[in-house]
Amino acid sequence: MKISIVIPTLNEASRIGSVIHALRQQDADCEIIVVDGGSKDGTLEQAGRAGARAFPAPRGRGQQLAFGASQSSGSVILFLHADTLLPEGGLQAIRLHLKNPEIVGGNFRILFNGDTEFAEWLTGFYARFRRRGLYYGDSAIFVRRCIYDTIGGIKPIALMEDYDFSRRLEGVGETVCIESPAVETSSRRFEGRRPVAIVFGWACIHALFHLGLPPHLLARLYDSARRRRPQHYTASNSSHSRSDRA
């Protein structure tokens, strides 16, 4: 079972080499595809030197993910954010669960790093999402290639591409949330925000999406709101925040 790993990037030169190396340690034969949205720090070159198939693409996770999937050759596609750590045993866990032919795909339980009550709250908040069948790209979504093609793949939209895809994936068959090992991601994009504000923002984005607001307009609203928040993280992290939910 060959796994193709699609990684969208923007200004991730400082970490992309270690990300690729860690994946190779899990599976030397997996296909790693890095799709870069116009980095200015040499991310694309670093990815190529580390052994990934590296491509430039228009900026925007939806477009980058869709392009990466179109270049993949594996029977399983894993969409992995550059700032999400897939721990040792992650690829093996995917293969183990997909031995069940009823499983069409799924994602991983997500842990937010940091020894704070806020990070613990975020971890629990996302777990409650998943119990309702809701999950997003930072939880490392994977899918059988035949199912990906059947449901029309990732749409190259400006926002909510992962939510849109996971809704269609949930509608076509049984999915699994891999509890162990869990993936780990940063809680920095939520710093300076109260839980009630996170829930309210999440609800507004989803409501407007379901009401039919075009994703490019929704992205403008989201970016405008984000610029009004306190920023405590680097430009590299904020460059991806357009597709971070909640």
Side-chain angles (χ1 to χ4, degrees):
M1 184 183 295
K2 181 179 179 180
I3 299 178
S4 295
I5 306 168
V6 177
I7 307 174
T9 57
L10 183 63
N11 297 325
E12 296 284 1
S14 64
R15 62 178 292 117
I16 193 61
S18 61
V19 169
I20 294 169
H21 176 72
L23 293 170
R24 289 286 185 218
Q25 290 292 101
Q26 292 193 41
D27 181 354
D29 296 323
C30 66
E31 180 179 49
I32 303 175
I33 299 173
V34 171
V35 186
D36 188 71
S39 293
K40 304 299 183 183
D41 64 349
T43 297
L44 196 65
E45 293 77 13
Q46 290 284 356
R49 282 195 287 269
R53 297 178 61 203
F55 301 92
R59 182 178 302 187
R61 271 206 178 116
Q63 295 188 81
Q64 290 169 245
L65 292 171
F67 179 81
S70 74
Q71 300 300 308
S72 67
S73 61
S75 60
V76 176
I77 306 173
L78 168 65
F79 298 105
L80 184 67
H81 289 187
D83 56 0
T84 294
L85 173 64
L86 185 75
E88 184 177 353
L91 297 180
Q92 181 181 359
I94 291 174
R95 289 191 173 93
L96 178 63
H97 283 279
L98 290 182
K99 286 183 178 179
N100 180 351
E102 300 298 317
I103 301 297
V104 298
N107 73 319
F108 286 76
R109 181 168 64 95
I110 186 169
L111 302 176
F112 287 88
N113 62 15
D115 297 324
T116 66
E117 290 184 3
F118 186 57
E120 184 178 349
W121 178 85
L122 282 170
T123 296
F125 183 54
Y126 268 60
R128 289 190 291 275
F129 274 5
R130 187 56 177 93
R131 286 194 289 271
R132 291 167 174 77
L134 302 175
Y135 47 96
Y136 305 94
D138 49 8
S139 64
I141 296 172
F142 58 92
V143 60
R144 296 184 190 273
R145 178 57 187 253
C146 58
I147 299 298
Y148 180 86
D149 291 338
T150 297
I151 64 177
I154 295 277
K155 293 182 180 178
I157 55 180
L159 194 71
M160 301 290 277
E161 77 292 328
D162 48 0
Y163 173 77
D164 171 76
F165 179 74
S166 67
R167 294 293 79 223
R168 287 181 282 125
L169 182 60
E170 287 292 309
V172 77
E174 183 180 351
T175 64
V176 62
C177 179
I178 297 176
E179 293 286 329
S180 181
V183 299
E184 182 178 309
T185 194
S186 174
S187 60
R188 287 177 295 180
R189 65 181 181 272
F190 297 107
E191 288 181 359
R193 301 175 64 193
R194 295 176 298 169
V196 66
I198 293 173
V199 175
F200 179 74
W202 174 86
C204 286
I205 289 173
H206 286 71
L208 291 170
F209 181 77
H210 283 288
L211 286 171
L213 187 71
H216 71 280
L217 295 180
L218 187 58
R220 289 182 188 176
L221 290 174
Y222 182 81
D223 281 351
S224 177
R226 176 176 58 83
R227 284 193 293 269
R228 294 195 295 270
R229 302 173 195 156
Q231 298 296 301
H232 302 292
Y233 45 96
T234 66
S236 175
N237 289 309
S238 63
S239 70
H240 282 295
S241 62
R242 167 173 283 192
S243 59
D244 293 327
R245 232 61 64 207

